[in-house]
Amino acid sequence: MSAAHQALRTARHGGRELAITVLDRGTHTSYSACGIPYWMAGDVGSGEDLVARTAEEHREAGIDLRLGVEAVSVDLAARTVTTADGETLSYDDLVVATGAPAVMPDWALRADGTAYDGVGVVKTLDDGAAWIERFAAAGDGARVVVVGAGYVGVEVAETALERGFEVTVLTRGRGMSILEEEMSDRVNAGLVAAGVEVVLGAEVSGLDVVGDRVAGVHWDGGSRAADLVVVAIGVRPATGLLAGSGLEMAANGALRPDRHGRVAERVWSAGDCCEVRRRVDDAWVFRPLGTHAAKHGRALGDSLAGGDLAFDGMVDTAITRFAHGEVYLEIARTGLSRAEAEAAGHDPVALVTEGTTATGYMPEAEPIAIWVMADRTTRRLLGVQVVGGHGAGKRVDTAAAVLWAGGSVDDLAWMDLAYAPPFATTWEVLQVAARRVAERI
Amino acid sequence: MSAAHQALRTARHGGRELAITVLDRGTHTSYSACGIPYWMAGDVGSGEDLVARTAEEHREAGIDLRLGVEAVSVDLAARTVTTADGETLSYDDLVVATGAPAVMPDWALRADGTAYDGVGVVKTLDDGAAWIERFAAAGDGARVVVVGAGYVGVEVAETALERGFEVTVLTRGRGMSILEEEMSDRVNAGLVAAGVEVVLGAEVSGLDVVGDRVAGVHWDGGSRAADLVVVAIGVRPATGLLAGSGLEMAANGALRPDRHGRVAERVWSAGDCCEVRRRVDDAWVFRPLGTHAAKHGRALGDSLAGGDLAFDGMVDTAITRFAHGEVYLEIARTGLSRAEAEAAGHDPVALVTEGTTATGYMPEAEPIAIWVMADRTTRRLLGVQVVGGHGAGKRVDTAAAVLWAGGSVDDLAWMDLAYAPPFATTWEVLQVAARRVAERI
């Protein structure tokens, strides 16, 4: 929808006139998937609050929006799309913005392909509504097992704690794999301090089921009783309708559009069904995040209507939060991991630095840990990760700006960042962290 | 002291061996002047909390620190410093780090050169202690007049409100002159909403005095009764000891050291007694802030001991806060003002954009206003100012990083900043603000 609206905007400003038809197999448009855990927690009053633009608003803008219509195949040569109802639509330009549904593993599914009762993912508004019903029906102290410790897993763990449930998080690895181990350890410690049971290295192998309802989860080496199981193990691009099209795809089916969203002659794509270009190492990576989707969609829409806006990639920035009771952690990262840096041929130097978010004597001061990595030879900044209290997380934006410009660890250490006692230390902690790495090189 | 400690550090790592003598006319070292308003407000328990390093700690590090010793003149040819006691010390290298005492205008002074009772500045730990005594002695509802609406004026207004006093702020201009008018207006409105009387365009001409004690303040067009008067109209470099030395100085007496802190052969300087180089327009400006002092001092100390660390200037970043009752404003800026941009030959395009600090449906969302300015021809980012709720202020750091790299408004609009609902909107508000300016160009 970002692409559609930008195309209309560009058309109004002298661009190519377009008649836009949007097919969506779902029932809602333009909602914030990222907000669903907060809706489930009760921070957000209703699912409607998460809807940025209703179907009516899209239609009033001149978009022929058809909800409940699923595109099942595409003929690129004939320039037609066929729907599940057997209708065939022809097009001049095709935009594939099919997103990436949550992965539901076989162990969660009945013979008919639907999940056992009490088991679900957190992806669509309908998912959110289903969880709110399940939460309401579950008694006090119900046992919730969250499978996966990525953003969604950690956010849902918070949600379930806020709802008063007993929470276990199972992760096949060492926790948040978007962080280096010395940083993900801090997140694990925060989860545990807040009362979550965290089981690392637990790859789920199956469920215990009573009737149609989940009663437990087991993995190689353990099991837990469970009233509810949240599956949060990732998403997969919905590009099945392009099977056999000959378009270049990543191993997981993601498309690789250029900076204008172009995949092939008259075929465009953006959003969660695509990989994005990471500027730091010029690599294709699958990062199904709303920020990339919104920017790439906008560039696509403008380009489709004859403009030249471009999405010049990303630097792998992300943020989340885990908060319950006395525990409050902002968790953020940007740039490469150590393994990615090594794979790209760098000789990385990395250190964790501990400090405070405000000057130590102020009541606002909270602990913050910052991991900084730079290249030993070029001194180029390669990555920054943060775990800390209020005000910690968005500090990665400053590092992201340095990565965007290809700057050095010295740039980060010496640039002019804002200081006053409620906000920072005189040497901003991000700069102390960069300076320590600079001195180590 | 930053310079002294860095020089010793560099010497330990193979640099030039140095015997360091430090003369200071005061009684305290290495304290946070920025923290004094928060100490006065009661946020900070004691003045000692503001001391980063005590005299003993400096001496243990090997520095010959002589407190209560005032250097009054320098003979650059003979390489000697003379103290107020008539002692003459010879040196190989001279470091001038005399800072910038607060300006006390003639109308505040008795015939003997001391201020009337109830009148003072906010600069040293002794000033802070004096204010704490005056506040304690003042009855409930005492009337405090703050002269000046810069950082210190606004912070002390908050302090006095927190202490339960009636507060009037007088400013000869339109309020915080570090902001454009459309932004300083928002600060003025916040002060008023919190119960401060703000009088714009009021240049104080004199005091009403009863005995030795202030009883009121008057200006061309008005007057107010006052039990206490805080003078916060700025600071002036303490470079009188170099009078007649022939060293280049700004009109206000500030020195202009190079990136290593060198002013002349064997003469060095850094900190509040200096101007600093602003990278955005390559201009010398007087910005007596702790961040610049700490960085420049460190570069100086390293260079003095044979290293090559350099302070490569600043981009005019600053931040403060005004908070009382329901009013909470983070106030920050970086880069040029419109007038400075025009003086530097730019054709500036600037807009204010309003948004929220978090996604609108989250309880964390608070209003934020962002002013962005860019050059019409080169699209280069020139300045960003922010007034808003929790999390607003440090957003200028991201803009400061773009300014540091000489990036464009498009870089700011399209770079990869962190998004999750508690922290930002999908299009981060700073990027929406930049995009609007980009579209306007």
Side-chain angles (χ1 to χ4, degrees):
Chain A
M1 301 316 292
S2 289
H5 284 276
Q6 181 61 44
L8 293 173
R9 208 174 296 128
T10 301
R12 275 199 307 278
H13 290 86
R16 176 158 81 110
E17 287 295 322
L18 298 164
I20 301 178
T21 300
V22 175
L23 311 182
D24 195 295
R25 65 176 177 180
T27 50
H28 297 93
T29 59
S30 304
Y31 59 86
S32 168
C34 304
I36 292 171
Y38 305 101
W39 174 33
M40 289 162 57
D43 290 342
V44 177
S46 100
E48 284 171 26
D49 293 341
L50 301 182
V51 176
R53 276 204 186 103
T54 64
E56 290 65 43
E57 288 170 317
H58 290 303
R59 290 180 183 128
E60 279 163 18
I63 296 167
D64 177 11
L65 171 63
R66 307 187 193 176
L67 291 177
V69 177
E70 182 173 4
V72 291
S73 70
V74 171
D75 184 331
L76 296 182
R79 286 200 204 142
T80 57
V81 173
T82 302
T83 70
D85 295 338
E87 192 188 357
T88 297
L89 294 87
S90 63
Y91 64 78
D92 295 314
D93 286 276
L94 174 69
V95 177
V96 180
T98 44
V103 172
M104 183 66 93
D106 289 341
W107 51 253
L109 301 176
R110 291 180 277 222
D112 68 357
T114 61
Y116 291 104
D117 291 347
V119 180
V121 296
V122 179
K123 176 71 188 176
T124 67
L125 282 187
D126 293 338
D127 294 332
W131 278 112
I132 286 168
E133 273 184 34
R134 290 187 196 110
F135 283 178
D140 265 4
R143 290 150 304 172
V144 176
V145 174
V146 180
V147 183
Y151 307 103
V152 175
V154 167
E155 288 162 10
V156 170
E158 173 184 318
T159 295
L161 286 172
E162 295 288 310
R163 289 287 185 177
F165 302 129
E166 298 291 314
V167 183
T168 297
V169 172
L170 307 179
T171 169
R172 65 180 181 174
R174 53 174 173 73
M176 287 207 110
S177 60
I178 55 155
L179 299 179
E180 293 297 301
E181 188 161 5
E182 53 264 56
M183 301 301 280
S184 63
D185 283 350
R186 292 166 196 265
V187 177
N188 293 341
L191 287 162
V192 170
V196 175
E197 180 193 31
V198 179
V199 186
L200 306 180
E203 180 147 17
V204 173
S205 51
L207 300 181
D208 297 321
V209 176
V210 176
D212 261 352
R213 200 171 171 80
V214 69
V217 181
H218 45 91
W219 62 92
D220 187 17
S223 66
R224 286 295 176 280
D227 298 304
L228 298 171
V229 175
V230 183
V231 177
I233 59 172
V235 300
R236 193 176 294 140
T239 52
L241 78 170
L242 294 169
S245 67
L247 294 176
E248 184 195 358
M249 287 185 193
N252 70 349
L255 296 166
R256 291 179 167 171
D258 72 10
R259 49 210 288 276
H260 297 287
R262 206 175 277 106
V263 172
E265 182 70 15
R266 295 193 171 272
V267 183
W268 312 72
S269 188
D272 290 4
C273 59
C274 299
E275 287 192 335
V276 287
R277 201 77 180 162
R278 185 168 57 199
R279 293 161 66 106
V280 190
D281 58 350
D282 202 28
W284 285 108
V285 290
F286 182 58
R287 296 293 184 271
L289 296 178
T291 40
H292 309 326
K295 292 192 187 83
H296 210 169
R298 193 175 183 102
L300 188 168
D302 183 69
S303 304
L304 185 56
D308 63 357
L309 280 184
F311 171 68
D312 278 323
M314 42 71 91
V315 296
D316 230 345
T317 309
I319 190 168
T320 188
R321 183 190 72 178
F322 175 76
H324 181 70
E326 297 292 298
V327 177
Y328 180 93
L329 291 181
E330 297 184 359
I331 302 155
R333 53 102 69 220
T334 188
L336 306 181
S337 69
R338 179 184 276 275
E340 288 164 343
E342 286 169 351
H346 291 288
D347 180 5
V349 180
L351 280 178
V352 175
T353 299
E354 296 186 339
T356 53
T357 55
T359 305
Y361 54 72
M362 294 295 291
E364 289 82 6
E366 296 183 41
I368 179 174
I370 303 182
W371 175 87
V372 172
M373 177 176 65
D375 182 85
R376 193 183 303 274
T377 310
T378 64
R379 306 183 72 85
R380 196 171 151 200
L381 185 68
L382 296 175
V384 172
Q385 300 179 5
V386 175
V387 175
H390 291 83
K394 282 289 266 180
R395 276 170 154 92
V396 297
D397 282 355
T398 307
V402 176
L403 290 173
W404 184 264
S408 70
V409 69
D410 309 289
D411 283 318
L412 182 56
W414 288 83
M415 59 179 36
D416 181 17
L417 303 183
Y419 161 66
F423 300 104
T425 39
T426 314
W427 275 93
E428 152 69 40
V429 60
L430 187 60
Q431 302 193 283
V432 174
R435 213 179 65 199
R436 287 187 65 232
V437 171
E439 288 167 358
R440 179 67 65 94
I441 289 177
Chain B
M1 301 313 293
S2 289
H5 284 275
Q6 181 60 45
L8 293 173
R9 208 174 295 128
T10 301
R12 274 199 306 278
H13 289 86
R16 175 159 82 110
E17 288 295 323
L18 299 164
I20 300 178
T21 301
V22 175
L23 311 182
D24 195 295
R25 65 176 178 179
T27 50
H28 298 93
T29 58
S30 304
Y31 61 86
S32 168
C34 305
I36 293 171
Y38 304 100
W39 174 33
M40 290 162 58
D43 290 342
V44 177
S46 100
E48 285 171 25
D49 292 340
L50 301 182
V51 176
R53 275 205 187 101
T54 63
E56 290 65 42
E57 288 169 316
H58 290 303
R59 289 178 184 130
E60 279 163 18
I63 296 167
D64 177 11
L65 171 63
R66 307 188 192 174
L67 291 178
V69 178
E70 182 173 5
V72 292
S73 70
V74 172
D75 185 331
L76 295 182
R79 287 200 203 142
T80 57
V81 172
T82 303
T83 71
D85 296 337
E87 192 187 358
T88 296
L89 295 86
S90 63
Y91 64 78
D92 294 314
D93 286 276
L94 174 69
V95 178
V96 181
T98 44
V103 172
M104 184 64 94
D106 289 341
W107 51 252
L109 301 177
R110 289 180 278 223
D112 69 356
T114 62
Y116 290 103
D117 292 347
V119 180
V121 296
V122 179
K123 176 72 188 176
T124 66
L125 281 187
D126 292 339
D127 295 331
W131 278 112
I132 285 168
E133 274 185 33
R134 289 187 197 111
F135 282 178
D140 266 2
R143 291 150 302 172
V144 176
V145 174
V146 180
V147 183
Y151 306 103
V152 176
V154 167
E155 288 161 10
V156 170
E158 173 184 318
T159 295
L161 286 173
E162 294 288 311
R163 290 286 185 177
F165 301 129
E166 298 290 315
V167 183
T168 297
V169 171
L170 306 178
T171 168
R172 63 180 181 175
R174 54 175 172 72
M176 286 206 111
S177 61
I178 56 154
L179 298 180
E180 292 297 300
E181 188 161 5
E182 53 265 56
M183 301 300 282
S184 64
D185 283 351
R186 291 165 197 266
V187 178
N188 294 339
L191 287 162
V192 170
V196 175
E197 180 192 32
V198 179
V199 186
L200 306 181
E203 179 147 18
V204 173
S205 51
L207 300 180
D208 297 321
V209 176
V210 175
D212 260 352
R213 203 172 168 78
V214 69
V217 180
H218 44 91
W219 62 92
D220 187 16
S223 66
R224 286 294 176 282
D227 298 305
L228 298 170
V229 175
V230 183
V231 177
I233 59 172
V235 299
R236 193 176 292 140
T239 53
L241 79 168
L242 294 170
S245 66
L247 294 176
E248 184 195 356
M249 287 184 194
N252 71 347
L255 295 166
R256 291 178 166 170
D258 72 10
R259 49 210 287 277
H260 296 287
R262 205 175 278 106
V263 172
E265 182 69 17
R266 295 193 170 274
V267 183
W268 311 71
S269 187
D272 290 3
C273 59
C274 298
E275 288 193 334
V276 286
R277 202 75 179 163
R278 185 168 58 199
R279 293 161 67 105
V280 190
D281 58 349
D282 203 28
W284 284 108
V285 290
F286 182 60
R287 296 292 183 273
L289 296 178
T291 40
H292 309 327
K295 292 192 187 83
H296 210 169
R298 193 174 184 101
L300 188 167
D302 183 69
S303 304
L304 184 56
D308 63 357
L309 282 185
F311 171 68
D312 278 323
M314 42 70 94
V315 296
D316 229 345
T317 309
I319 191 169
T320 189
R321 184 189 73 177
F322 176 77
H324 182 70
E326 297 292 299
V327 178
Y328 180 91
L329 291 181
E330 298 185 359
I331 302 156
R333 54 102 67 220
T334 188
L336 306 182
S337 69
R338 180 183 275 275
E340 288 164 343
E342 285 169 351
H346 291 289
D347 179 6
V349 179
L351 279 177
V352 175
T353 298
E354 297 186 337
T356 52
T357 54
T359 305
Y361 54 73
M362 294 295 291
E364 289 81 6
E366 296 183 41
I368 178 172
I370 304 182
W371 176 88
V372 172
M373 177 175 65
D375 181 85
R376 193 183 303 274
T377 310
T378 63
R379 306 183 72 86
R380 194 170 151 201
L381 184 68
L382 296 175
V384 172
Q385 300 179 6
V386 175
V387 176
H390 292 83
K394 282 289 265 179
R395 275 171 156 91
V396 297
D397 281 356
T398 308
V402 176
L403 290 173
W404 183 265
S408 71
V409 69
D410 309 288
D411 284 319
L412 182 56
W414 288 84
M415 59 178 34
D416 182 15
L417 304 183
Y419 160 67
F423 299 105
T425 40
T426 314
W427 275 95
E428 152 69 39
V429 60
L430 186 59
Q431 301 192 284
V432 175
R435 214 179 64 199
R436 288 186 66 232
V437 171
E439 288 167 358
R440 179 69 64 93
I441 289 176

